[in-house]
């Protein structure tokens, strides 16, 4: 049965701990499956929301990959972006689901990786999403980014694209903080790192933060569908430009042919329509905790916008 759990390696791993895991390295020269893939593939990700079972949202994808590759897919849950990046660099991770910023940082820090495709929310959709600047709907003191000045502001994580990097650029452009990113952040706002997009939005709703940031789908759909937010409970006072979508990437140590074949699998078969038809799931079959419909082609150049925002913010985290 495709839904058997092969997630023994699921653990809350932080930072460099992932590089010390027992996962098989992508550069292993061991036996191959009949389809030409390594006998084991390690897939890593971090939660976009506070999740006790992130692996469950990857079950349909893991079932697909195991059938298509013949490999055992081992899922590793890291607690921060740095863990996934370091795991790729150390060769302990073969595949990863990256936020755009984490993908760019991984490359800057020496990870030799190739995009396999970016997530889309609907069939025929284009990869991409937006960061929202949020406030409680009944808070008249915050109606724009300029009003964030001096307030308690929830960010997601210092390595989050839509939960930190793009918001920082927005705050610079609104003259809430001076150019130079982290060095001047606390001079303009009182930063609080919530750890997840859901936690950031909910902290604003609860009044623990005066304002905050989270990505669009989390606010507009995920939290509302779960009943954690009421429609209209938050107001969106700022929207970023469209950000290149979160993406799957492969470690190039897997080899050119394997990476090319994985790219085909992800862009042609890793979608709700195909996976539902193959019996990998019985409901709407969305994957990852971003609840994406599927995966569309993506290239490294698609992430030049993120690199530009790195230049605007001067963020040290964008540097190797």
């Amino acid at each position: 049965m495709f839904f058997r759990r092969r997630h023994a390696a699921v653990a809350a791993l932080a930072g460099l701990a992932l590089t010390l895991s027992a996962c098989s390295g992508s550069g292993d020269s061991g036996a191959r499956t009949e389809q030409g893939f390594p006998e084991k593939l390690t897939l890593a990700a971090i939660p976009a929301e506070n999740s006790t079972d992130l692996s469950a949202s990857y079950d349909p994808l893991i079932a697909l990959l195991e059938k298509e590759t013949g490999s055992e897919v081992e899922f590793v849950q890291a607690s921060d972006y740095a863990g996934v990046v370091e795991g790729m660099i150390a060769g302990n991770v073969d595949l990863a689901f990256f936020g755009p910023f984490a993908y760019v940082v991984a490359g800057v820090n020496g990870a030799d990786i190739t995009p396999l495709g970016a997530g889309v929310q609907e069939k025929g959709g284009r990869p991409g999403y937006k960061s929202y600047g949020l406030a409680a709907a009944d808070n008249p003191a915050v109606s724009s980014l300029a009003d964030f000045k001096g307030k308690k502001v929830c960010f997601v994580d210092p390595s989050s694209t839509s939960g930190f990097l793009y918001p920082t650029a927005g705050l610079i452009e609104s003259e809430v903080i001076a150019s130079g990113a982290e060095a001047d952040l606390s001079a303009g706002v009182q930063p609080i790192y919530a750890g997840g997009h859901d936690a950031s939005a909910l902290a604003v709703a609860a009044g623990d933060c005066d304002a905050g940031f989270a990505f669009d789908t989390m606010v507009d759909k995920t939290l509302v569908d779960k009943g954690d937010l009421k429609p209209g409970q938050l107001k969106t006072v700022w929207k970023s430009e469209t950000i290149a979508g979160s993406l799957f990437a492969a470690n190039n140590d897997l080899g050119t042919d394997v990476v090319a074949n994985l790219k085909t699998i992800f862009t042609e078969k890793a979608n709700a329509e195909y996976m539902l038809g193959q019996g990998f799931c019985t409901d709407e079959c969305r994957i990852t905790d971003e609840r994406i419909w599927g995966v569309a082609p993506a290239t490294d150049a698609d992430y030049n916008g993120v690199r530009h925002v790195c230049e605007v913010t001067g963020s040290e985290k964008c540097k190797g």
Side-chain angles (χ1 to χ4, degrees):
M1 181 175 178
F2 288 118
F3 290 109
R4 66 191 182 279
R5 292 295 182 98
R6 284 186 170 177
H7 306 336
V10 174
L13 301 173
L16 300 182
L18 188 55
T19 68
L20 303 177
S21 72
C23 302
S24 59
S26 56
D28 289 352
S29 56
R32 297 272 166 167
T33 67
E34 291 183 3
Q35 295 93 321
F37 294 87
E39 289 192 332
K40 178 179 286 187
L41 289 170
T42 302
L43 168 64
I46 73 160
E49 56 180 317
N50 292 327
S51 172
T52 56
D53 193 13
L54 177 67
S55 64
S57 65
Y58 283 82
D59 277 345
L61 177 65
I62 290 171
L64 169 71
L65 289 174
E66 290 189 333
K67 181 180 180 181
E68 293 292 328
T69 66
S71 306
E72 174 186 348
V73 177
E74 187 175 47
F75 184 83
V76 178
Q77 178 174 329
S79 60
D80 60 21
Y81 290 101
V84 180
V85 172
E86 290 298 333
M88 273 287 194
I89 293 171
N92 293 324
V93 172
D94 300 305
L95 309 171
F97 188 61
F98 282 116
F101 186 25
Y103 168 73
V104 169
V105 170
V108 169
N109 282 278
D112 187 16
I113 54 181
T114 294
L116 298 176
V120 294
Q121 291 297 325
E122 58 189 22
K123 183 177 181 178
R126 298 181 62 182
Y129 63 108
K130 293 186 178 184
S131 171
Y132 281 178
L134 304 166
D138 59 359
N139 182 358
V142 180
S143 59
S144 69
L145 277 191
D147 296 328
F148 283 33
K149 191 171 184 65
K151 303 290 197 305
K152 288 189 295 183
V153 177
C154 268
F155 297 87
V156 174
D157 177 280
S159 295
S160 170
T161 314
S162 57
F164 183 81
L165 185 65
Y166 274 75
T168 299
L171 292 171
I172 289 172
E173 291 170 351
S174 297
E175 300 183 348
V176 173
I177 61 175
S179 181
E182 295 97 329
D184 300 302
L185 189 61
S186 61
V189 300
Q190 300 174 51
I192 297 172
Y193 296 103
H197 289 267
D198 60 335
S200 180
L202 293 175
V204 175
D208 296 326
C209 287
D210 302 308
F213 298 95
F215 72 85
D216 51 8
T217 306
M218 182 63 70
V219 178
D220 292 338
K221 181 171 174 59
T222 304
L223 292 176
V224 174
D225 287 351
K226 291 172 65 176
D228 293 334
L229 272 183
K230 297 177 182 178
Q233 189 174 358
L234 296 178
K235 59 183 177 182
T236 302
V237 300
W238 172 81
K239 295 181 181 181
S240 73
E241 64 183 47
T242 299
I243 305 167
S246 297
L247 74 160
F248 288 96
N251 195 320
N252 286 336
D253 284 349
L254 289 168
T256 303
D257 290 343
V258 169
V259 172
N261 289 334
L262 284 168
K263 187 179 295 186
T264 298
I265 293 170
F266 272 87
T267 57
E268 296 183 3
K269 298 182 177 181
N271 61 71
E273 183 175 86
Y274 183 85
M275 291 187 292
L276 186 61
Q278 293 296 309
F280 297 137
C281 45
T282 56
D283 53 22
E284 66 175 338
C285 205
R286 290 185 173 263
I287 55 175
T288 82
D289 61 345
E290 292 189 12
R291 306 293 292 160
I292 60 175
W293 177 87
V295 180
T299 68
D300 181 75
D302 294 337
Y303 297 84
N304 287 339
V306 178
R307 297 180 177 102
H308 174 69
V309 173
C310 277
E311 294 175 3
V312 170
T313 61
S315 175
E316 289 297 319
K317 296 186 180 299
C318 295
K319 303 173 183 177

